[in-house]
């Protein structure tokens, strides 16, 4: 009877506790990734004017094997958009956000289950689907925040670094950048949910990202390998040079839609399994 | 005080199947690959009682508890918790349960207070000040980072986590592990208070001594089967006591003849002491009345009759072939 009475002694509770918990736990990490991403931009972009002007740089690139140039996407490096794409969105920034996305995706369910903490969370008044959805949403917000940061930093440097990138193209590319990372995170989330282990998430997330990059690089080598582009999320995002020619809205939407579907599968997979068994 | 509570609960329990049981488990089976962790487990826990399950490691205690919380899904049979089938039960059911996992792993970077606030946000409402009250009782510092807490203090945090929202049912897997004897006593007091408030407690241990003071009924689990379910009083009455007595004016052989004929006396050993008295060492099971009557004719110099050793009788049940559970 006293149980019923105690219900009256309600105290204020945080809304969306599962979603919010991700940020109270990992805001330091998020800030760290943000600093890393901004540092990459500040490292590469301001030197573009001197690189473009230096004939020695072009001579150096001309000496590189053409296959390497194509692999690194350096063939368009003569324009501001091509330079920013090749160095930042397509290389260092991509690597950084891929690592972050894979780590977050793998830790959210697989890592949490493997450590034994998920068991206690699920013993409380939540459903497994709620846990999966809240954690996916938190990852999506973090990735979008980092993409927005990159958008802002590039915009800030656009004039001083003489990049001449159109704002609309930059926005579209930033959304694609976030989309391809969220796809990676969703695959990692699903891998973790299916296996109950962090390594399952890491392997699947990193696998998709690395293969996507490799298929794009191979496709760049010859027309007979162009079919590999179809299998490369990296190519779907950056193959049409969105920073110079504009991003396709359908492509952007597709990335986020596929990520949602993968997250839904992750939630269903988690719902079916024995946890920590 | 506990004796009063036990008689109250035997009234509540009633015979046989209780439709309004807090936990009703019927023929529960769980198969992990080739390993059958639960092999047809059936039992009921009446509301407002303390039910203990004792068994060696790997007997299936944790598996039963995880199935009740819907963390794992049984391969067969059914578990009904507070009137709701546990399989795919919604969050409303788990809001009414407090759970302490056997392998308690807590997020380490946050403080105990913040961690509890998080679980309260999910499963609350928690009466204001209740967390502080529980922490003070157990002597737990809520402001230290969880990773810096000792095993015992982490366990206390887990206990607070399970108790704080005053759930109707407490499911506690090896709750006393890591607690010092003083804290074990405090914890057992909390269990009895919970029962007096009407809460039901389902707890496990690998040794009966940890929970015999608090449990009304004890199920003994072995190899995924329940060997027997008894009240602690019943276990006590079947348990063996160790006895030692010294009598003067009697020869060891006569003493052996006197005691050896008594029902329940085993492993009798009579000898002559350096002071020319006769000493008998034996174990005694069952009622002590006939024994006391028999020794009244002796000139006793010393008599030690120990508390019934439940541990020993439980261990005996572990090793005897499984009985068909009632």
């Amino acid at each position: 009877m006293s149980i019923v009475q105690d219900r009256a002694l309600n105290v204020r509770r945080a809304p969306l506790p599962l979603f919010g918990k991700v940020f109270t736990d990992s805001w330091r990490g998020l800030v760290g990734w943000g600093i890393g991403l901004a540092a990459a931009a500040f490292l590469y972009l301001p030197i573009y004017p001197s690189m473009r002007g230096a004939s020695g740089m072009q001579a150096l690139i001309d000496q590189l094997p053409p296959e390497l140039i194509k692999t690194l996407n350096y063939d368009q490096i003569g324009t501001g958009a091509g330079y920013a794409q090749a160095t930042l969105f397509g290389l260092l920034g991509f690597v950084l956000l891929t690592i972050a996305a894979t780590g977050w995706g793998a830790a959210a369910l697989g890592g949490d289950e493997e450590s034994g903490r998920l068991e206690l969370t699920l013993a409380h008044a939540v459903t497994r689907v709620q846990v999966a959805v809240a954690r996916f949403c938190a990852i999506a917000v973090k990735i979008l925040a980092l993409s927005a940061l990159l958008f802002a930093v590039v915009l800030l440097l656009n004039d001083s670094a003489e990049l001449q990138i159109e704002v609309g193209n930059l926005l579209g590319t930033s959304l694609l950048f976030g989309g391809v990372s969220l796809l990676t995170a969703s695959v990692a989330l699903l891998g973790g949910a299916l296996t109950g282990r962090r390594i399952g998430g890491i392997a699947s997330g990193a696998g998709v990202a690395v293969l996507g990059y490799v298929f794009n690089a191979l496709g760049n080598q010859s027309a007979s390998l162009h079919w590999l582009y179809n299998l490369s999320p990296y190519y779907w995002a950056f193959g049409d040079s969105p920073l110079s020619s504009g991003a396709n809205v359908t492509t952007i939407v597709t990335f986020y839609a596929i990520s949602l579907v993968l997250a839904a599968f992750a939630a269903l997979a988690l719902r079916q399994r024995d946890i920590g068994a | 005080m506990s004796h009063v509570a036990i008689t109250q609960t035997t009234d509540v329990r009633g015979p046989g199947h209780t439709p309004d049981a807090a936990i009703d488990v019927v023929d529960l089976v769980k198969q992990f690959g080739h390993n059958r962790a639960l092999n047809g487990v059936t039992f009921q826990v009446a509301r407002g009682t303390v039910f203990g399950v004792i068994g060696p490691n790997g007997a299936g205690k944790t598996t039963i508890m995880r199935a009740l919380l819907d963390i794992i899904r049984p391969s067969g049979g059914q578990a009904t918790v507070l009137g709701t089938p546990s399989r795919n039960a919604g969050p409303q059911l788990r809001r009414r349960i407090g759970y302490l996992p056997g392998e308690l792993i807590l997020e380490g970077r946050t403080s105990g207070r913040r961690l509890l606030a998080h679980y309260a946000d999910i499963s609350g409402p928690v009466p204001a000040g209740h967390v502080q009250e529980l922490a003070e009782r157990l002597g737990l510092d809520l402001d230290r980072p969880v990773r810096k807490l000792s095993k015992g203090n982490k366990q206390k945090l887990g206990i607070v986590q399970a108790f704080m929202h005053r759930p109707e049912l407490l499911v506690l897997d090896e709750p006393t592990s890591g607690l010092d004897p003083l804290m074990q006593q405090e914890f057992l007091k909390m269990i009895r208070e919970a029962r007096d408030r009407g809460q039901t407690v389902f707890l496990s241990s690998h040794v009966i001594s940890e929970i015999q003071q608090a449990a009304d009924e004890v199920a003994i689990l072995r190899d995924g089967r329940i060997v027997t379910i008894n009240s602690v009083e019943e276990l006590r009455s079947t348990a063996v006591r160790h006895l030692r007595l010294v009598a003067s004016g009697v020869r060891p052989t006569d003493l052996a003849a006197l005691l050896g004929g008594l029902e329940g006396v085993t492993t009798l050993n009579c000898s002559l002491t350096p002071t020319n008295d006769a000493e008998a060492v034996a174990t005694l099971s069952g009622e002590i009345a006939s024994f006391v009557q028999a020794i009244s004719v002796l000139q006793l110099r010393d008599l030690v009759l120990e508390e019934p050793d439940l541990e020993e009788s439980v261990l005996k049940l572990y090793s005897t072939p499984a009985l068909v559970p009632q």
Side-chain angles (χ1 to χ4, degrees):
Chain A
M1 299 314 110
S2 60
I3 295 159
V4 179
Q5 281 168 10
D6 289 339
R7 291 272 182 263
L9 293 168
N10 205 340
V11 289
R12 204 163 59 87
R13 287 191 278 157
L16 303 175
L18 291 167
F19 177 77
K21 179 86 165 76
V22 179
F23 293 95
T24 51
D25 287 351
S26 67
W27 64 269
R28 287 183 194 85
L30 182 60
V31 169
W33 287 110
I35 291 171
L37 210 52
F42 278 108
L43 195 71
Y44 276 117
L45 300 186
I47 57 170
Y48 172 67
S50 55
M51 290 213 21
R52 187 186 49 178
S55 54
M57 187 66 195
Q58 191 58 50
L60 180 70
I61 288 178
D62 289 344
Q63 282 174 7
L64 293 175
E67 291 82 4
L68 180 62
I69 294 170
K70 283 175 186 162
T71 300
L72 292 172
N73 301 303
Y74 275 14
D75 41 358
Q76 305 233 329
I77 211 159
T79 68
Y83 177 78
Q85 173 62 47
T87 57
L88 190 59
F89 286 96
L91 195 62
L92 192 54
F94 173 77
V95 169
L96 285 176
L97 204 55
T98 296
I99 293 171
T102 306
W104 289 334
L109 299 177
D112 205 37
E113 177 177 343
E114 189 176 11
S115 75
R117 290 194 292 255
L118 185 62
E119 176 179 344
L120 189 54
T121 302
L122 293 179
H124 281 270
V126 287
T127 64
R128 299 185 188 187
V129 171
Q130 280 171 346
V131 172
V133 167
R135 292 186 176 169
F136 170 75
C137 290
I139 293 171
V141 167
K142 289 201 277 193
I143 286 174
L144 284 173
L146 290 180
S147 305
L149 175 77
L150 193 60
F151 169 81
V153 170
V154 175
L155 194 64
L156 182 75
L157 295 171
N158 201 13
D159 285 342
S160 61
E162 300 167 25
L163 297 171
Q164 295 177 310
I165 299 170
E166 282 181 34
V167 177
N169 294 353
L170 177 60
L171 179 66
T173 306
S174 300
L175 285 171
L176 281 170
F177 178 73
V180 75
S181 306
L182 186 60
L183 180 73
T184 302
S186 308
V187 172
L189 187 78
L190 178 59
L194 284 169
T195 59
R197 296 169 66 90
R198 188 179 149 83
I199 191 71
I202 298 270
S204 41
V208 166
V210 169
L211 282 179
Y213 189 84
V214 168
F215 287 161
N216 175 72
L218 289 175
N220 285 346
Q221 304 303 324
S222 86
S224 64
L225 292 172
H226 277 355
W227 63 272
L228 284 172
Y229 285 152
N230 297 328
L231 302 175
S232 168
Y234 184 94
Y235 179 84
W236 306 339
F238 303 130
D240 292 333
S241 309
L243 214 46
S244 50
S245 54
N248 184 330
V249 176
T250 316
T251 310
I252 296 174
V253 171
T254 306
F255 268 110
Y256 289 89
I258 295 176
S259 302
L260 276 177
V261 170
L262 289 168
F265 277 123
L268 291 177
L270 188 69
R271 195 165 178 267
Q272 300 309 318
R273 287 191 32 248
D274 287 342
I275 298 303
Chain B
M1 204 174 79
S2 62
H3 290 292
V4 177
I6 284 169
T7 36
Q8 277 174 352
T9 47
T10 31
D11 294 340
V12 174
R13 216 177 310 164
H17 179 81
T18 323
D20 193 32
I23 300 174
D24 190 352
V25 170
V26 181
D27 205 18
L28 207 62
V29 174
K30 181 63 194 179
Q31 190 93 29
F32 290 116
H34 293 297
N35 174 30
R36 187 162 268 220
L38 294 181
N39 207 343
V41 169
T42 301
F43 66 92
Q44 276 120 31
V45 180
R47 282 184 197 251
T49 64
V50 178
F51 189 97
V53 54
I54 311 288
N57 297 327
K61 306 182 296 277
T62 299
T63 306
I64 294 176
M65 294 189 165
R66 286 182 165 170
L68 296 180
L69 270 299
D70 194 37
I71 290 161
I72 59 163
R73 273 61 184 268
S75 319
Q78 207 187 346
T80 309
V81 180
L82 300 171
T84 310
S86 68
R87 198 188 185 92
N88 284 325
Q92 293 77 15
L93 174 62
R94 286 187 297 277
R95 195 185 299 283
R96 298 159 67 195
I97 306 175
Y99 175 55
L100 176 69
E103 265 180 67
L104 181 66
I105 313 283
L106 298 168
E107 147 101 60
R109 279 176 297 182
T110 183
S111 72
R113 191 181 304 281
R114 280 166 163 273
L115 189 67
L116 292 174
H118 172 62
Y119 290 124
D121 287 339
I122 303 176
S123 275
V126 171
H130 192 43
V131 165
Q132 192 62 40
E133 187 188 312
L134 288 168
E136 275 167 18
R137 253 188 107 160
L138 293 169
L140 171 67
D141 182 355
L142 288 174
D143 293 311
R144 294 187 67 192
V146 174
R147 67 169 182 278
K148 294 203 171 148
L149 295 177
S150 67
K151 179 171 171 10
N153 279 321
K154 278 186 189 143
Q155 187 73 1
K156 291 177 193 173
L157 195 55
I159 291 171
V160 175
Q161 170 271 143
F163 275 76
M164 64 182 178
H165 54 297
R166 293 250 171 97
E168 287 167 62
L169 172 65
L170 286 153
V171 177
L172 310 170
D173 195 357
E174 306 257 357
T176 52
S177 93
L179 297 184
D180 62 52
L182 215 62
M183 277 306 139
Q184 287 194 12
Q185 288 308 313
E186 190 60 37
F187 168 77
L188 294 173
K189 225 164 97 187
M190 286 169 63
I191 294 286
R192 289 192 289 264
E193 289 170 13
R195 175 182 56 195
D196 294 344
R197 272 195 302 270
Q199 291 168 279
T200 308
V201 184
F202 178 55
L203 77 172
S204 73
S205 179
H206 59 277
V207 282
I208 188 164
S209 57
E210 285 178 1
I211 61 168
Q212 69 185 69
Q213 299 171 49
D216 299 317
E217 273 192 300
V218 175
I220 292 165
L221 196 68
R222 202 187 78 211
D223 297 335
R225 281 179 194 278
I226 287 185
V227 183
T228 126
I229 302 178
N230 291 108
S231 71
V232 172
E233 291 305 308
E234 284 166 339
L235 274 180
R236 206 185 286 275
S237 68
T238 59
V240 294
R241 301 161 182 268
H242 293 272
L243 76 86
R244 191 181 76 88
L245 66 82
V246 180
S248 55
V250 64
R251 283 182 302 173
T253 44
D254 295 337
L255 185 61
L258 176 72
L259 297 176
L262 292 173
E263 199 186 333
V265 172
T266 46
T267 64
L268 178 66
N269 184 17
C270 295
S271 58
L272 199 65
T273 67
T275 54
N276 266 339
D277 294 323
E279 184 192 53
V281 177
T283 55
L284 176 65
S285 61
E287 294 296 315
I288 62 165
S290 56
F291 169 74
V292 172
Q293 208 166 15
I295 63 171
S296 63
V297 300
L298 295 171
Q299 247 186 303
L300 283 180
R301 299 182 65 87
D302 191 13
L303 171 64
V304 179
L305 188 54
E306 287 179 3
E307 272 275 284
D309 190 341
L310 268 62
E311 207 63 63
E312 204 167 308
S313 59
V314 166
L315 285 175
K316 215 163 61 189
L317 285 167
Y318 284 178
S319 52
T320 51
L323 306 170
V324 181
Q326 306 103 330

